[in-house]
Amino acid sequence: MKKICVIGSLNMDLVVNVEEMPKKGQTLIGSNFNEIPGGKGANQAVAAARLGGDVCMIGKVGNDSFGQSLLNQLKTDNVKTDYIQIEDGASGVAIITVDKNAENAIVVSPGANFKLTEDDIDRCIDGIKESSTVVIQLETPIDTIKYALEKSKELGKFTILNPAPAVKLSDDIIKNVDLLTPNETELEILSGVSINCEDDIKKAANVMLEKGVKQLIVTLGSKGSLYLDKDKMEFKKSYKVNAIDTTAAGDSYTGALSVSLSQNKSIDEAMNFASKVGALCVTKVGAQTSLPTVDEVLNYEF
Ligand code: RIB
């Protein structure tokens, strides 16, 4: 089976449920509190592994109890952890509030994730070499991401960048991305085009294609997703479910795409599978607690 290498963040998510999101300066009493393994990188690695992918991860945790729990969860899910290093200091932590409409607000303290360097990528280069697909997000240092993308392309790998949390990226990063998976807001930030209608999405996507991205899949939440390359555009509707927590929906979608594409499925099949995975993810609480297995996806009646 072709392997997938995920390069990215691991965070312990500290999650509180609230009726409404707090306003500036407001103190609210929430309901449940949960500690849940998360981090966009680890979520995508676990998502891909639960869906049948052969996955390794490159990243860093701290030498605290969160770091151990995050590593243990990856091992439980059969993600190869040989390329995850333990640093002195704190692991990444995300403070998350989820409201009654299943929407979330997230603040990340990156901790060890921001200590991932270009030298670390060299030290873990076998993880990239042994894989066909490399999946990256934006919760580790930008210089490291740029280097990892360059190395991956030099080694002939298929690169997927999930540009979250979005920041403006230089052209020499973007040119090494084969597949970009932004949501509308992320695409707006990356392209500089403000998005109010489908035509704006096309304009914004064209800006990215001109910069060298080969393919884009723009996730549109409950509306669906849109594939674009230089020659074609294809819309896929989402599956309707009762959403209770949207945390990690985008991660589950990117993880699912990486598995399908590494199994040589068509874009159409990959998007359909990823839409099902994203839909199931929002029916459960939390990040890695909500990522479905391949059997759950195949047996669910959509
Ligand atoms: O995408 C969801 C993730 O964003 C959370 O698990 C949190 O850790 C942040 O990285």
Coordinates of all heavy atoms in Angstrom, one line a residue, residues 14 40 76 94 98 101 141 166 194 212 220 251 264 278 291:
L14 N -8.4 21.5 24.9 CA -9.1 21.7 26.2 C -10.4 22.3 25.8 O -10.5 23.5 25.4 CB -8.3 22.6 27.1 CG -6.8 22.1 27.3 CD1 -6.1 23.1 28.3 CD2 -6.8 20.7 27.9
K40 N -4.0 19.9 14.1 CA -4.4 19.6 12.8 C -3.6 18.5 12.1 O -4.1 17.7 11.4 CB -4.3 20.9 11.9 CG -5.3 22.0 12.4 CD -5.3 23.2 11.5 CE -6.1 24.3 12.2 NZ -7.5 24.0 12.5
T76 N -2.1 4.1 19.3 CA -3.3 3.3 19.3 C -3.9 3.2 17.9 O -4.6 2.2 17.6 CB -4.3 4.0 20.3 OG1 -3.7 4.1 21.6 CG2 -5.6 3.2 20.5
A94 N -4.6 23.5 22.6 CA -5.6 24.3 22.0 C -6.8 24.5 23.0 O -7.3 23.6 23.5 CB -6.1 23.7 20.7
V98 N -17.1 25.4 22.1 CA -18.0 24.9 21.1 C -19.4 25.4 21.5 O -19.8 25.1 22.7 CB -18.0 23.3 21.0 CG1 -19.0 22.8 20.0 CG2 -16.6 22.8 20.7
N101 N -24.6 25.7 18.3 CA -24.8 25.5 16.9 C -23.7 24.7 16.3 O -23.5 24.6 15.1 CB -24.9 26.8 16.1 CG -26.0 27.7 16.6 OD1 -27.1 27.2 16.8 ND2 -25.8 29.0 16.8
P141 N 6.4 26.0 12.1 CA 7.0 27.2 11.5 C 7.0 27.2 10.0 O 7.2 26.2 9.3 CB 8.4 27.1 12.1 CG 8.3 26.3 13.4 CD 7.2 25.3 13.1
A166 N -5.0 29.9 8.2 CA -4.5 30.6 7.0 C -3.6 31.8 7.4 O -3.9 32.6 8.2 CB -5.7 31.0 6.2
S194 N -11.7 38.8 -2.3 CA -12.7 38.6 -1.3 C -13.9 37.8 -2.0 O -14.2 38.0 -3.1 CB -13.2 39.9 -0.7 OG -13.7 40.7 -1.7
G212 N 1.1 28.3 -9.2 CA 1.7 27.0 -9.4 C 1.0 25.8 -8.7 O 1.5 24.7 -8.8
L220 N -16.7 23.9 1.5 CA -17.7 24.9 1.7 C -18.6 24.6 2.8 O -19.8 24.9 2.8 CB -18.5 25.0 0.3 CG -17.7 25.2 -0.9 CD1 -18.6 25.0 -2.2 CD2 -17.1 26.6 -0.9
D251 N -10.0 18.6 8.9 CA -8.9 17.7 9.1 C -9.4 16.3 8.6 O -8.6 15.6 7.9 CB -8.5 17.6 10.5 CG -7.9 18.9 11.1 OD1 -7.5 19.7 10.3 OD2 -8.0 19.1 12.3
N264 N -5.2 5.6 -5.5 CA -5.4 5.9 -7.0 C -6.9 6.0 -7.3 O -7.3 5.8 -8.5 CB -4.9 4.7 -7.8 CG -3.4 4.7 -7.8 OD1 -2.7 5.8 -7.6 ND2 -2.8 3.5 -7.8
G278 N -16.3 13.8 6.4 CA -16.5 15.1 7.1 C -17.9 15.1 7.7 O -18.0 15.7 8.8
L291 N -13.3 11.1 14.7 CA -12.8 10.7 13.4 C -13.3 9.3 13.1 O -13.0 8.4 13.9 CB -11.3 10.8 13.3 CG -10.8 12.2 13.5 CD1 -9.2 12.2 13.7 CD2 -11.2 13.2 12.4

